[in-house]
Amino acid sequence: MENSMFCYQCEQTFGGKGCTKSGVCGKTPEIANLQDLLIYQLKGISCYAKPLIEQGKIIDKDIVKFVENSLFTTLTNVNFDAEAHVKLLVESQRIKEILRDEAPKAEYPAAATYDLSGEKEIMLKDSVKAGIMYDEELDADIRSLRSTILYGLKGISAYGHQARFMGYNSDQVDQFYFLGLEATTNDNLSLQDMIRFTMRTGEMSVEVMKILDEGNTSKYKNPSAHKVNVNIKKGPFIIVSGHDLRDLEMLLKQTEGKGINIYTHGEMLPAHGYPELKKYKHLVGNFGSAWQNQQKEFDGIPGCILMTTNCLMRPRETYKDRIFTTSVVGWDGVKHIDTNENGTKDFSEIIDKALKLGGFKENEETKEILVGFGHNETLSHAGEIVNAVKEGKISHFFLIGGCDGARPGRNYYTDFAKMLPKDCVILTLACGKYRFNKLDFGTVAGLPRLLDIGQCNDAYSAVRIATALADAFDTDVNSLPLTIVLSWYEQKAVADLLALLSLGIKGIYLGPSLPAFLSPNVLQYLVDTFGIKPISTPEEDLKSSLKQAN
């Protein structure tokens, strides 16, 4: 039994059904099963937390932080280190017992009453009952909605973790971790109840993105349009990947004046738009392309890499000694940089290593792309945009964004962007933009045709922009000449999609394939209620979106 698993939380899942032998992401059955058991423990903790919340008690923020970090640890491509999972599991039992003592005496589900053994071998045996498919009698639609809520919560936890690290959090979201997780164990909830919880997960996703936006823009000021060099410079360097701006800022401070170049990578690219980060002269550019090309791009480079959040792939031997992880990220045998008691980190080890490696030998010719079109920057042009639409200079807006991945079908997004008529504006966010962000789309009505709104959490910015435009035209978002084309890969994209649905946004194109955890009935419900459309061909989808607009 021990060498099998079942996981279908991401888009690359085997055969579009589920990974059963090992994860396409690189996780072993051992890691997958420890993650199942950790989620089971979090559900148990939540069963005791819920009645306490109903009595008006505030759950200790250290417990919230533990649940948030544990959820994030199990997100796709974050942590592959068995020992890190065992540590979290042991801690989960301690927390469960604290809440069990406080909670009212009643009948609780098996996830709550279960007691974890301290031994990894027994944990792995016990993990069978934590598996997604363990209860064979469970209604397929209930299972589907439970999974959707859980994956939405994992996405929310990634954003919540990032915000909390900067000192920002939402009590409402903190409470919902427990209420949402409890709902996934509660056999008394009807299909309608579960649909309501799914939409509530979307509302919490909007809320957490708003808090994160507040944190990022208060600390680093509102992003503004900035050019970023995407080629390399001579000298020692560190590449910073992931999403965590505070990690980047700490590293920038600690490397100042040391002759080290700092490059962003993947989802860290939008950092160049923030004035308080851009001011560091040694933040010299962005390295490489989307996350799924990292093994090729990091192969034997003469510098270091710091992984701050998700999107870690199995490190090749050629750079395993120069890649470092921090926060919830982990890979067995890769150096981890811990957070100190006071919330800071000491990056001296990675700094020394980068200096020793010596870096790139010569400069490449500068090639620049434009970033920084968050809601503040884009809406500072609202007058021009509205006029351009009224004068017929801009005919349509396309939001093409989401996570990238390695599947062949993903060139759809490149082809789609290239095919757009010259009077269309492209808004983009998250790493899906690497499919086309180095192409020259020119300008329309004096504005760049490609506006990079930021990271995946900046779906919040996109919503702010859409709502402001709808107000300017005295209409609603669904009546704007706007088409949303989403590429999904992991659970943050699930949170983003639920966020858009909870705001009543309809007619979203979704690809490259549909989530394996959506049952046929749940999918049908989303199609009927929100007009979700699986992508077909770029030609067909472009034709139908422009036809609808007219």
Side-chain angles (χ1 to χ4, degrees), residues 121 123 161 189 212 270 477:
E121 299 320 306
M123 289 179 188
H161 161 94
L189 296 177
L212 180 50
V477 171

Side-chain angles (χ1 to χ4, degrees), residues 27 57 116 184 254 275 288 338 355 409 441 518 544:
K27 71 177 168 187
K57 294 206 169 104
L116 181 88
T184 67
Q254 291 177 37
D338 282 317
L355 287 169
F441 288 97
L518 291 182
S544 63

Side-chain angles (χ1 to χ4, degrees), residues 367-384:
K367 174 181 165 60
E368 292 179 321
I369 61 173
L370 208 53
V371 301
F373 288 93
H375 53 87
N376 187 274
E377 174 74 22
T378 303
L379 293 174
S380 69
H381 301 283
E384 303 153 56

Side-chain angles (χ1 to χ4, degrees), residues 193-341:
D193 295 332
M194 292 305 280
I195 286 172
R196 266 198 298 279
F197 259 103
T198 308
M199 287 304 114
R200 187 96 183 99
T201 309
E203 288 163 24
M204 290 302 111
S205 179
V206 176
E207 172 68 11
V208 79
M209 289 195 274
K210 181 175 138 219
I211 297 291
L212 180 50
D213 180 76
E214 214 172 281
N216 284 338
T217 55
S218 315
K219 246 179 123 64
Y220 306 116
K221 305 288 179 278
N222 272 301
S224 50
H226 279 104
K227 288 184 169 161
V228 183
N229 181 22
V230 292
N231 282 344
I232 57 176
K233 283 202 166 327
K234 186 175 154 180
F237 65 91
I238 298 170
I239 294 165
V240 187
S241 191
H243 307 71
D244 210 301
L245 301 183
R246 188 168 164 222
D247 279 329
L248 175 64
E249 182 195 30
M250 287 193 284
L251 184 67
L252 285 166
K253 278 189 177 145
Q254 291 177 37
T255 46
E256 223 171 355
K258 295 209 162 118
I260 294 179
N261 290 327
I262 304 292
Y263 297 89
T264 55
H265 171 263
E267 278 276 64
M268 202 58 99
L269 167 65
H272 293 270
Y274 291 90
E276 290 299 299
L277 297 171
K278 191 67 179 171
K279 69 180 187 192
Y280 291 94
K281 293 286 169 271
H282 59 303
L283 179 62
V284 296
N286 188 68
F287 178 87
S289 54
W291 69 273
Q292 74 276 4
N293 304 322
Q294 64 186 259
Q295 290 165 319
K296 208 164 59 231
E297 292 174 349
F298 295 165
D299 198 6
I301 51 174
C304 293
I305 306 124
L306 176 67
M307 298 300 293
T308 65
T309 57
N310 55 310
C311 299
L312 171 67
M313 294 171 79
R314 171 198 274 288
R316 287 187 181 169
E317 291 305 318
T318 55
Y319 62 88
K320 198 171 180 182
D321 64 330
R322 53 196 75 179
I323 187 166
F324 292 71
T325 60
T326 187
S327 132
V328 297
V329 192
W331 191 283
D332 187 28
V334 164
K335 273 278 161 57
H336 188 79
I337 296 167
D338 282 317
T339 310
N340 302 328
E341 287 296 298

